[in-house]
Protein backbone atom coordinates (compact mmCIF):
# COMPACT_ATOMS: atom_id res chain seq x y z
CA UNK A 1 0.00 0.00 0.00
CA UNK A 2 1.39 3.38 -0.98
CA UNK A 3 1.54 6.12 1.61
CA UNK A 4 1.81 9.91 1.84
CA UNK A 5 1.68 12.31 4.79
CA UNK A 6 0.27 15.83 5.01
CA UNK A 7 1.87 17.81 7.81
CA UNK A 8 2.56 21.46 8.66
CA UNK A 9 4.88 23.83 10.48
CA UNK A 10 2.24 24.59 13.12
CA UNK A 11 -1.31 23.87 14.19
CA UNK A 12 -4.05 25.77 12.40
CA UNK A 13 -2.54 25.44 8.93
CA UNK A 14 -5.55 23.52 7.60
CA UNK A 15 -4.17 19.97 7.74
CA UNK A 16 -7.43 18.26 8.71
CA UNK A 17 -9.49 19.99 6.04
CA UNK A 18 -6.85 19.30 3.39
CA UNK A 19 -6.56 15.65 4.43
CA UNK A 20 -10.32 15.09 4.45
CA UNK A 21 -10.68 16.77 1.06
CA UNK A 22 -7.89 14.58 -0.29
CA UNK A 23 -9.54 11.47 1.14
CA UNK A 24 -12.84 12.41 -0.51
CA UNK A 25 -11.17 13.18 -3.83
CA UNK A 26 -9.21 9.92 -3.90
CA UNK A 27 -12.28 7.95 -2.89
CA UNK A 28 -14.21 9.51 -5.80
CA UNK A 29 -11.44 8.33 -8.10
CA UNK A 30 -12.21 4.78 -7.02
CA UNK A 31 -9.16 4.26 -4.83
CA UNK A 32 -9.32 2.18 -1.68
CA UNK A 33 -8.03 4.72 0.83
CA UNK A 34 -7.02 4.39 4.49
CA UNK A 35 -6.40 7.31 6.85
CA UNK A 36 -4.13 7.66 9.88
CA UNK A 37 -3.51 10.42 12.41
CA UNK A 38 -0.08 10.86 13.99
CA UNK A 39 -0.25 11.15 17.76
CA UNK A 40 -3.03 10.65 20.30
CA UNK A 41 -5.77 12.89 18.85
CA UNK A 42 -9.22 11.26 18.90
CA UNK A 43 -11.22 13.80 16.91
CA UNK A 44 -9.38 13.96 13.57
CA UNK A 45 -9.76 10.19 13.00
CA UNK A 46 -13.52 10.69 13.46
CA UNK A 47 -13.44 13.03 10.45
CA UNK A 48 -11.39 10.50 8.48
CA UNK A 49 -13.91 7.80 9.37
CA UNK A 50 -16.85 9.95 8.30
CA UNK A 51 -15.29 10.67 4.90
CA UNK A 52 -14.13 7.14 4.11
CA UNK A 53 -16.70 4.98 5.87
CA UNK A 54 -13.92 2.85 7.40
CA UNK A 55 -12.20 3.47 10.75
CA UNK A 56 -9.57 6.17 10.89
CA UNK A 57 -6.63 5.03 12.99
CA UNK A 58 -3.83 6.57 15.05
CA UNK A 59 -0.08 6.11 14.67
CA UNK A 60 1.36 6.97 18.06
CA UNK A 61 4.99 6.05 18.63
CA UNK A 62 4.78 6.92 22.33
CA UNK A 63 1.61 5.04 23.22
CA UNK A 64 2.06 2.10 20.84
CA UNK A 65 5.82 1.94 20.42
CA UNK A 66 7.53 1.68 17.04
CA UNK A 67 6.38 -1.89 16.48
CA UNK A 68 2.77 -1.14 17.39
CA UNK A 69 2.54 1.86 15.06
CA UNK A 70 4.15 -0.11 12.23
CA UNK A 71 1.69 -2.92 12.85
CA UNK A 72 -1.24 -0.51 12.65
CA UNK A 73 -0.04 0.95 9.35
CA UNK A 74 0.97 -2.22 7.58
CA UNK A 75 -1.89 -4.51 8.51
CA UNK A 76 -4.43 -2.23 6.78
CA UNK A 77 -4.97 -3.24 3.17
CA UNK A 78 -5.79 -0.67 0.49
CA UNK A 79 -4.40 1.31 -2.42
CA UNK A 80 -3.03 4.26 -0.48
CA UNK A 81 -2.62 5.41 3.11
CA UNK A 82 -2.95 9.13 3.86
CA UNK A 83 -1.29 10.17 7.12
CA UNK A 84 -2.10 13.42 8.91
CA UNK A 85 0.57 15.04 11.05
CA UNK A 86 0.01 16.57 14.48
CA UNK A 87 0.93 20.04 15.76
CA UNK A 88 4.16 21.21 14.10
CA UNK A 89 6.05 18.71 11.98
CA UNK A 90 8.95 18.25 14.43
CA UNK A 91 6.99 18.75 17.66
CA UNK A 92 7.31 15.66 19.82
CA UNK A 93 7.69 14.59 23.42
CA UNK A 94 9.07 17.14 25.90
CA UNK A 95 10.64 19.48 23.36
CA UNK A 96 12.17 16.72 21.26
CA UNK A 97 11.26 15.16 17.91
CA UNK A 98 10.36 11.83 19.59
CA UNK A 99 6.91 10.64 18.47
CA UNK A 100 6.49 13.70 16.23
CA UNK A 101 5.02 13.59 12.74
CA UNK A 102 8.58 13.70 11.43
CA UNK A 103 9.48 10.71 13.60
CA UNK A 104 6.54 8.77 12.16
CA UNK A 105 7.48 9.76 8.61
CA UNK A 106 11.13 8.79 9.15
CA UNK A 107 10.39 5.43 10.74
CA UNK A 108 7.73 4.46 8.19
CA UNK A 109 9.66 5.91 5.21
CA UNK A 110 6.71 8.08 4.26
CA UNK A 111 7.05 11.10 1.92
CA UNK A 112 5.57 14.33 3.29
CA UNK A 113 3.62 17.16 1.72
CA UNK A 114 4.02 20.28 3.85
CA UNK A 115 0.77 22.23 4.16
CA UNK A 116 1.39 25.99 4.22
CA UNK A 117 -1.08 28.71 5.13
CA UNK A 118 0.67 31.85 3.83
CA UNK A 119 -0.16 35.05 5.66
CA UNK A 120 1.84 38.22 5.18
CA UNK A 121 4.96 36.50 3.83
CA UNK A 122 6.72 36.09 0.51
CA UNK A 123 10.35 35.06 0.24
CA UNK A 124 10.37 34.56 4.02
CA UNK A 125 8.03 31.59 3.56
CA UNK A 126 10.68 29.92 1.41
CA UNK A 127 13.22 30.57 4.16
CA UNK A 128 10.95 28.87 6.68
CA UNK A 129 10.49 25.87 4.39
CA UNK A 130 14.25 25.63 3.82
CA UNK A 131 14.69 25.64 7.58
CA UNK A 132 12.23 22.77 7.87
CA UNK A 133 14.05 20.85 5.14
CA UNK A 134 17.48 21.32 6.71
CA UNK A 135 16.51 20.86 10.37
CA UNK A 136 17.10 17.10 10.20
CA UNK A 137 19.31 15.23 7.68
CA UNK A 138 16.32 13.44 6.14
CA UNK A 139 13.30 15.74 6.38
CA UNK A 140 11.14 13.49 4.16
CA UNK A 141 9.50 16.68 2.78
CA UNK A 142 8.70 16.03 -0.89
CA UNK A 143 6.16 18.71 -1.83
CA UNK A 144 4.18 21.77 -0.74
CA UNK A 145 0.47 22.58 -0.66
CA UNK A 146 -0.96 26.07 -0.05
CA UNK A 147 -4.21 26.39 1.92
CA UNK A 148 -6.56 29.31 2.55
CA UNK A 149 -4.65 30.96 -0.28
CA UNK A 150 -6.12 33.00 -3.13
CA UNK A 151 -5.10 32.23 -6.72
CA UNK A 152 -3.23 35.53 -7.08
CA UNK A 153 -1.12 34.79 -4.01
CA UNK A 154 -0.52 31.21 -5.17
CA UNK A 155 0.61 32.49 -8.56
CA UNK A 156 3.04 34.83 -6.80
CA UNK A 157 4.40 32.35 -4.25
CA UNK A 158 4.68 29.20 -6.37
CA UNK A 159 7.70 30.21 -8.48
CA UNK A 160 9.44 31.67 -5.42
CA UNK A 161 8.95 28.52 -3.37
CA UNK A 162 9.94 26.18 -6.17
CA UNK A 163 13.04 28.24 -7.03
CA UNK A 164 14.26 28.59 -3.46
CA UNK A 165 13.38 25.14 -2.08
CA UNK A 166 13.52 22.85 -5.10
CA UNK A 167 10.19 21.36 -4.03
CA UNK A 168 7.10 21.18 -6.23
CA UNK A 169 4.12 23.31 -5.20
CA UNK A 170 1.26 20.93 -5.85
CA UNK A 171 -1.43 23.60 -5.88
CA UNK A 172 -3.64 25.54 -3.54
CA UNK A 173 -7.00 25.58 -1.79
CA UNK A 174 -8.64 29.03 -1.79
CA UNK A 175 -10.47 30.50 1.21
CA UNK A 176 -13.78 28.61 1.44
CA UNK A 177 -16.62 28.87 3.90
CA UNK A 178 -16.97 25.07 3.78
CA UNK A 179 -13.42 24.76 5.13
CA UNK A 180 -14.12 26.66 8.35
CA UNK A 181 -14.71 24.07 11.09
CA UNK A 182 -15.71 25.21 14.56
CA UNK A 183 -13.67 24.35 17.64
CA UNK A 184 -14.04 24.23 21.41
CA UNK A 185 -11.87 23.43 24.43
CA UNK A 186 -10.73 19.97 23.25
CA UNK A 187 -10.36 20.83 19.57
CA UNK A 188 -12.70 20.63 16.61
CA UNK A 189 -16.38 19.85 17.05
CA UNK A 190 -17.02 16.19 16.36
CA UNK A 191 -18.37 15.24 12.90
CA UNK A 192 -21.84 14.48 14.27
CA UNK A 193 -22.12 18.10 15.45
CA UNK A 194 -21.34 19.71 12.08
CA UNK A 195 -24.21 20.17 9.65
CA UNK A 196 -23.86 18.61 6.17
CA UNK A 197 -20.24 17.66 6.78
CA UNK A 198 -20.08 15.19 3.90
CA UNK A 199 -21.42 17.75 1.45
CA UNK A 200 -18.91 20.31 2.68
CA UNK A 201 -15.96 18.00 2.11
CA UNK A 202 -17.35 17.07 -1.31
CA UNK A 203 -17.25 20.74 -2.27
CA UNK A 204 -13.66 21.10 -1.02
CA UNK A 205 -12.68 17.87 -2.81
CA UNK A 206 -14.09 19.22 -6.08
CA UNK A 207 -12.08 22.39 -5.56
CA UNK A 208 -8.99 20.30 -4.86
CA UNK A 209 -9.46 18.48 -8.16
CA UNK A 210 -9.41 21.86 -9.93
CA UNK A 211 -6.54 23.61 -8.17
CA UNK A 212 -4.27 20.80 -6.84
CA UNK A 213 -2.28 18.46 -9.08
CA UNK A 214 -3.48 15.22 -7.49
CA UNK A 215 -1.71 13.06 -10.05
CA UNK A 216 1.59 14.64 -9.12
CA UNK A 217 0.78 14.30 -5.42
CA UNK A 218 0.06 10.61 -5.91
CA UNK A 219 3.35 10.22 -7.77
CA UNK A 220 5.16 11.30 -4.59
CA UNK A 221 3.60 8.50 -2.54
CA UNK A 222 5.96 5.69 -1.53
CA UNK A 223 5.23 2.01 -1.73
CA UNK A 224 4.95 0.41 1.70
CA UNK A 225 5.90 -3.04 2.84
CA UNK A 226 3.47 -5.92 2.58
CA UNK A 227 0.49 -5.92 4.90
CA UNK A 228 0.83 -7.92 8.09
CA UNK A 229 -1.69 -10.76 8.15
CA UNK A 230 -4.12 -10.61 11.03
CA UNK A 231 -4.02 -13.51 13.52
CA UNK A 232 -6.99 -15.81 13.63
CA UNK A 233 -9.62 -14.18 15.84
CA UNK A 234 -10.36 -15.89 19.12
CA UNK A 235 -13.79 -17.13 19.95
CA UNK A 236 -15.62 -14.69 22.16
CA UNK A 237 -15.04 -15.44 25.80
CA UNK A 238 -16.73 -12.38 27.31
CA UNK A 239 -18.97 -9.40 26.54
CA UNK A 240 -17.69 -5.90 27.29
CA UNK A 241 -20.19 -3.06 27.35
CA UNK A 242 -18.64 0.04 25.71
CA UNK A 243 -20.20 3.47 26.29
CA UNK A 244 -20.51 5.22 22.94
CA UNK A 245 -22.63 8.29 22.20
CA UNK A 246 -22.18 12.06 22.03
CA UNK A 247 -20.83 12.16 25.59
CA UNK A 248 -18.43 9.21 25.25
CA UNK A 249 -16.76 9.02 21.86
CA UNK A 250 -12.99 8.89 22.38
CA UNK A 251 -11.72 5.42 21.49
CA UNK A 252 -8.77 4.19 19.46
CA UNK A 253 -9.93 1.89 16.67
CA UNK A 254 -6.91 -0.35 17.18
CA UNK A 255 -7.60 -0.48 20.91
CA UNK A 256 -11.11 -1.79 20.28
CA UNK A 257 -9.74 -4.26 17.75
CA UNK A 258 -7.20 -5.46 20.33
CA UNK A 259 -10.02 -6.22 22.76
CA UNK A 260 -11.85 -8.15 20.06
CA UNK A 261 -8.69 -10.05 19.14
CA UNK A 262 -8.26 -10.99 22.80
CA UNK A 263 -11.72 -12.56 22.82
CA UNK A 264 -14.14 -9.77 23.75
CA UNK A 265 -17.47 -9.21 22.09
CA UNK A 266 -17.98 -5.44 22.26
CA UNK A 267 -21.54 -4.30 22.86
CA UNK A 268 -22.09 -0.55 22.55
CA UNK A 269 -24.58 1.36 24.68
CA UNK A 270 -25.53 4.97 25.40
CA UNK A 271 -25.34 6.38 28.95
CA UNK A 272 -27.44 9.26 27.61
CA UNK A 273 -30.36 7.26 26.25
CA UNK A 274 -30.25 3.64 27.46
CA UNK A 275 -31.63 2.77 30.90
CA UNK A 276 -29.71 -0.44 31.59
CA UNK A 277 -26.40 -2.02 30.69
CA UNK A 278 -26.47 -4.59 27.87
CA UNK A 279 -27.53 -8.08 28.94
CA UNK A 280 -24.91 -10.58 30.10
CA UNK A 281 -22.24 -7.93 30.51
CA UNK A 282 -18.89 -9.23 31.78
CA UNK A 283 -16.98 -5.94 31.68
CA UNK A 284 -17.46 -2.20 31.29
CA UNK A 285 -15.45 0.31 29.25
CA UNK A 286 -16.18 4.02 29.76
CA UNK A 287 -14.03 6.02 27.36
CA UNK A 288 -13.35 9.72 27.12
CA UNK A 289 -15.44 12.39 25.48
CA UNK A 290 -17.56 15.32 26.60
CA UNK A 291 -19.67 14.26 29.61
CA UNK A 292 -19.37 17.82 30.95
CA UNK A 293 -21.39 19.10 27.97
CA UNK A 294 -24.14 16.58 28.69
CA UNK A 295 -24.00 16.62 32.49
CA UNK A 296 -27.69 17.40 32.94
CA UNK A 297 -28.86 14.72 30.49
CA UNK A 298 -26.53 12.13 32.02
CA UNK A 299 -27.76 13.03 35.49
CA UNK A 300 -31.42 12.79 34.47
CA UNK A 301 -30.86 9.20 33.33
CA UNK A 302 -30.95 7.92 36.91
CA UNK A 303 -31.55 4.32 35.91
CA UNK A 304 -28.30 4.14 33.97
CA UNK A 305 -26.34 5.92 36.70
CA UNK A 306 -27.62 3.40 39.22
CA UNK A 307 -26.80 0.49 36.92
CA UNK A 308 -23.23 1.68 36.39
CA UNK A 309 -22.73 2.41 40.08
CA UNK A 310 -23.98 -1.04 41.03
CA UNK A 311 -21.81 -2.73 38.41
CA UNK A 312 -18.61 -0.96 39.46
CA UNK A 313 -19.15 -1.35 43.20
CA UNK A 314 -20.22 -4.95 42.61
CA UNK A 315 -16.84 -5.81 41.12
CA UNK A 316 -17.59 -5.78 37.39
CA UNK A 317 -14.19 -5.33 35.66
CA UNK A 318 -14.23 -1.68 34.56
CA UNK A 319 -11.96 0.69 32.66
CA UNK A 320 -12.92 4.37 32.93
CA UNK A 321 -10.69 6.95 31.22
CA UNK A 322 -10.94 10.72 31.46
CA UNK A 323 -14.62 11.43 30.64
CA UNK A 324 -15.56 7.97 31.88
CA UNK A 325 -13.66 8.73 35.07
CA UNK A 326 -15.69 11.93 35.53
CA UNK A 327 -18.92 10.00 34.98
CA UNK A 328 -18.10 7.72 37.93
CA UNK A 329 -17.77 10.65 40.37
CA UNK A 330 -20.46 11.86 42.77
CA UNK A 331 -21.10 14.98 40.70
CA UNK A 332 -19.96 16.84 37.59
CA UNK A 333 -20.05 20.53 36.71
CA UNK A 334 -21.26 21.65 33.30
CA UNK A 335 -19.61 24.57 31.42
CA UNK A 336 -21.80 27.03 33.34
CA UNK A 337 -20.59 25.67 36.69
CA UNK A 338 -23.85 23.89 37.57
CA UNK A 339 -23.14 20.61 39.37
CA UNK A 340 -25.21 17.51 38.59
CA UNK A 341 -25.24 14.11 40.32
CA UNK A 342 -23.31 11.38 38.53
CA UNK A 343 -22.85 7.67 39.26
CA UNK A 344 -21.28 7.98 42.71
CA UNK A 345 -19.04 4.95 42.28
CA UNK A 346 -16.07 7.19 43.19
CA UNK A 347 -16.01 9.82 45.96
CA UNK A 348 -14.91 12.93 44.06
CA UNK A 349 -16.55 15.78 42.15
CA UNK A 350 -15.74 16.77 38.58
CA UNK A 351 -15.09 20.52 38.38
CA UNK A 352 -14.44 22.87 35.48
CA UNK A 353 -11.17 24.80 35.21
CA UNK A 354 -9.90 27.52 32.91
CA UNK A 355 -6.91 25.71 31.43
CA UNK A 356 -5.54 22.38 30.31
CA UNK A 357 -4.70 20.09 33.21
CA UNK A 358 -1.57 17.87 33.17
CA UNK A 359 -1.55 18.00 29.36
CA UNK A 360 0.54 15.57 27.32
CA UNK A 361 2.32 12.25 27.46
CA UNK A 362 3.34 10.51 30.68
CA UNK A 363 4.05 7.08 32.10
CA UNK A 364 1.95 5.39 34.75
CA UNK A 365 3.98 3.42 37.26
CA UNK A 366 2.34 0.57 39.14
CA UNK A 367 3.32 -0.22 42.72
CA UNK A 368 0.95 -3.20 42.97
CA UNK A 369 -0.83 -5.63 40.69
CA UNK A 370 -4.23 -4.47 39.44
CA UNK A 371 -6.74 -5.03 36.65
CA UNK A 372 -4.48 -3.77 33.84
CA UNK A 373 -1.04 -3.29 35.34
CA UNK A 374 1.52 -5.37 37.18
CA UNK A 375 3.85 -4.22 39.94
CA UNK A 376 6.88 -2.37 38.57
CA UNK A 377 5.45 -1.78 35.10
CA UNK A 378 5.39 1.55 33.29
CA UNK A 379 2.49 2.16 30.91
CA UNK A 380 2.59 5.05 28.40
CA UNK A 381 -0.48 7.30 28.66
CA UNK A 382 -1.82 10.65 27.47
CA UNK A 383 -3.90 13.38 29.15
CA UNK A 384 -5.90 16.21 27.57
CA UNK A 385 -8.68 17.77 29.62
CA UNK A 386 -9.88 21.06 31.08
CA UNK A 387 -12.06 19.55 33.81
CA UNK A 388 -10.45 18.23 37.00
CA UNK A 389 -11.55 16.16 39.98
CA UNK A 390 -11.48 16.86 43.71
CA UNK A 391 -10.26 13.30 44.34
CA UNK A 392 -8.06 11.99 41.54
CA UNK A 393 -6.99 8.85 43.40
CA UNK A 394 -3.50 7.80 44.48
CA UNK A 395 -3.03 4.16 43.44
CA UNK A 396 -0.65 4.96 40.56
CA UNK A 397 2.24 7.33 39.96
CA UNK A 398 2.27 9.46 36.79
CA UNK A 399 5.66 10.64 35.53
CA UNK A 400 6.07 13.09 32.66
CA UNK A 401 9.07 12.89 30.32
CA UNK A 402 10.29 16.17 31.78
CA UNK A 403 10.41 14.64 35.26
CA UNK A 404 7.35 16.05 37.04
CA UNK A 405 5.21 13.46 38.78
CA UNK A 406 2.04 13.05 40.80
CA UNK A 407 -0.22 10.40 42.29
CA UNK A 408 -3.41 9.56 40.46
CA UNK A 409 -5.98 6.93 39.66
CA UNK A 410 -8.02 4.22 41.29
CA UNK A 411 -6.63 0.76 40.50
CA UNK A 412 -7.80 -2.55 41.93
CA UNK A 413 -8.25 -6.09 40.67
CA UNK A 414 -11.49 -4.99 38.99
CA UNK A 415 -10.99 -1.28 38.26
CA UNK A 416 -8.88 1.20 36.32
CA UNK A 417 -10.33 4.70 36.74
CA UNK A 418 -8.23 7.79 36.05
CA UNK A 419 -7.78 10.75 33.73
CA UNK A 420 -4.91 9.24 31.68
CA UNK A 421 -5.89 7.55 28.41
CA UNK A 422 -4.40 4.12 27.69
CA UNK A 423 -3.84 2.36 24.38
CA UNK A 424 -4.90 -1.29 24.34
CA UNK A 425 -2.73 -2.05 21.28
CA UNK A 426 0.63 -1.05 22.75
CA UNK A 427 3.57 -3.12 23.94
CA UNK A 428 1.95 -4.42 27.15
CA UNK A 429 -0.92 -6.96 27.00
CA UNK A 430 -3.51 -4.62 28.53
CA UNK A 431 -6.31 -5.90 26.31
CA UNK A 432 -5.61 -9.51 27.21
CA UNK A 433 -5.57 -8.70 30.92
CA UNK A 434 -8.88 -6.86 30.72
CA UNK A 435 -10.49 -9.68 28.76
CA UNK A 436 -9.13 -12.37 31.10
CA UNK A 437 -10.56 -10.51 34.10
CA UNK A 438 -13.93 -10.27 32.34
CA UNK A 439 -13.78 -13.96 31.46
CA UNK A 440 -13.21 -14.86 35.12
CA UNK A 441 -16.02 -12.61 36.30
Amino acid sequence: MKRIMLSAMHSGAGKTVAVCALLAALKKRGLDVRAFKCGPDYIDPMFHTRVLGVPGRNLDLFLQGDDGAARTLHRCAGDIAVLEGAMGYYDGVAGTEQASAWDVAAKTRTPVVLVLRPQGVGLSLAAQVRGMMDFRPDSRIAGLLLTDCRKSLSDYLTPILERETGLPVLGYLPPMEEARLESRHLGLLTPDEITALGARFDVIAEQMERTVDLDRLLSLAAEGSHEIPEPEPRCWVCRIAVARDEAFCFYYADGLDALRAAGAELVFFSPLRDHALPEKTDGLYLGGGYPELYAQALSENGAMRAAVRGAVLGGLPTVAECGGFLYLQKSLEDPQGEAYPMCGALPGAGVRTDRLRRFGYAWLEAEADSLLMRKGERVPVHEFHYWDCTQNGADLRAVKPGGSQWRCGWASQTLYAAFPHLHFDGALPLAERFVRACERK
Side-chain angles (χ1 to χ4, degrees):
M1 181 170 63
K2 290 187 175 182
R3 58 194 182 277
I4 192 80
M5 179 190 290
L6 270 60
S7 193
M9 292 190 285
H10 53 79
S11 296
K15 295 189 300 290
T16 299
V17 169
V19 165
C20 288
L22 178 60
L23 297 176
L26 297 181
K27 183 179 178 182
K28 284 186 176 182
R29 288 187 170 201
L31 294 176
D32 185 3
V33 190
R34 295 293 183 269
F36 302 85
K37 174 69 178 184
C38 300
D41 183 277
Y42 286 101
I43 297 176
D44 289 347
M46 295 182 190
F47 283 88
H48 303 164
T49 300
R50 175 61 66 87
V51 174
L52 294 178
V54 295
R57 299 177 184 274
N58 294 70
L59 298 174
D60 194 306
L61 298 177
F62 186 86
L63 295 182
Q64 296 176 274
D66 293 358
D67 290 343
R71 184 170 62 246
T72 291
L73 178 61
H74 294 304
R75 70 185 174 193
C76 290
D79 297 319
I80 186 167
V82 177
L83 284 60
E84 179 180 348
M87 301 176 62
Y89 183 46
Y90 291 104
D91 296 330
V93 177
T96 74
E97 73 273 18
Q98 180 192 355
S100 65
W102 172 81
D103 200 11
V104 173
K107 288 175 177 173
T108 60
R109 308 298 297 170
T110 299
V112 177
V113 172
L114 199 62
V115 177
L116 306 174
R117 189 176 188 178
Q119 294 183 347
V121 292
L123 183 60
S124 295
L125 185 60
Q128 294 174 42
V129 173
R130 282 291 300 270
M132 296 290 289
M133 295 169 63
D134 297 340
F135 189 68
R136 289 293 181 266
D138 183 9
S139 74
R140 308 296 304 169
I141 299 173
L144 306 174
L145 174 65
L146 305 177
T147 62
D148 200 19
C149 178
R150 298 187 183 280
K151 181 181 185 301
S152 58
L153 182 56
S154 173
D155 291 343
Y156 171 71
L157 288 174
T158 294
I160 296 174
L161 291 168
E162 292 188 337
R163 181 187 73 235
E164 297 293 340
T165 69
L167 297 173
V169 177
L170 302 170
Y172 70 96
L173 284 173
M176 301 176 68
E177 187 59 36
E178 292 86 355
R180 305 192 186 284
L181 304 179
E182 295 182 58
S183 300
R184 59 168 159 239
H185 57 282
L186 293 186
L188 294 174
L189 297 182
T190 62
D192 289 339
E193 299 172 287
I194 299 176
T195 304
L197 182 65
R200 293 173 66 171
F201 283 132
D202 285 342
V203 171
I204 306 170
E206 291 170 3
Q207 179 65 50
M208 181 172 272
E209 283 281 7
R210 292 192 294 269
T211 57
V212 177
D213 189 342
L214 293 182
D215 291 329
R216 194 173 187 186
L217 186 151
L218 287 172
S219 73
L220 299 177
E223 191 68 51
S225 58
H226 295 295
E227 289 80 19
I228 297 174
E230 287 294 309
E232 288 295 321
R234 293 194 59 198
C235 295
W236 288 334
V237 298
C238 67
R239 284 166 58 93
I240 297 178
V242 181
R244 188 164 70 179
D245 55 20
E246 301 92 318
F248 303 96
C249 52
F250 291 172
Y251 297 97
Y252 294 123
D254 284 88
L256 297 178
D257 283 349
L259 291 172
R260 294 186 181 101
E265 176 189 6
L266 303 185
V267 184
F268 297 98
F269 74 101
S270 170
L272 284 170
R273 286 176 284 276
D274 295 332
H275 298 292
L277 293 173
E279 294 182 357
K280 300 179 181 178
T281 294
D282 302 308
L284 178 61
Y285 187 9
L286 303 170
Y290 297 102
E292 65 273 15
L293 302 183
Y294 301 92
Q296 181 175 355
L298 289 169
S299 183
E300 289 174 349
N301 191 350
M304 178 58 76
R305 290 192 293 114
V308 170
R309 181 179 186 275
V312 174
L313 295 182
L316 186 74
T318 298
V319 172
E321 304 169 314
C322 200
F325 175 60
L326 289 173
Y327 183 52
L328 293 185
Q329 305 302 321
K330 284 188 174 181
S331 65
L332 175 61
E333 287 184 353
D334 68 7
Q336 290 71 46
E338 184 75 23
Y340 292 92
M342 289 292 118
C343 296
L346 295 175
V351 295
R352 62 175 184 168
T353 74
D354 59 358
R355 61 184 177 87
L356 279 172
R357 316 298 302 190
R358 300 177 294 279
F359 166 71
Y361 290 120
W363 288 279
L364 283 186
E365 296 181 348
E367 298 174 356
D369 290 354
S370 62
L371 174 67
L372 299 181
M373 300 177 65
R374 301 295 178 261
K375 183 178 179 179
E377 286 183 343
R378 298 182 62 178
V379 176
V381 295
H382 180 263
E383 286 198 43
F384 188 72
H385 54 96
Y386 279 75
W387 265 242
D388 208 343
C389 186
T390 59
Q391 297 192 46
N392 281 303
D395 291 334
L396 302 167
R397 183 186 303 277
V399 181
K400 290 187 73 66
S404 62
Q405 55 185 273
W406 62 95
R407 309 290 305 190
C408 69
W410 304 83
S412 70
Q413 293 301 314
T414 61
L415 179 65
Y416 169 82
F419 272 117
H421 292 277
L422 307 159
H423 200 302
F424 279 115
D425 197 33
L428 290 172
L430 304 184
E432 289 82 355
R433 291 170 182 173
F434 188 20
V435 169
R436 295 290 82 74
C438 296
E439 185 181 11
R440 293 192 298 267
K441 175 251 178 189

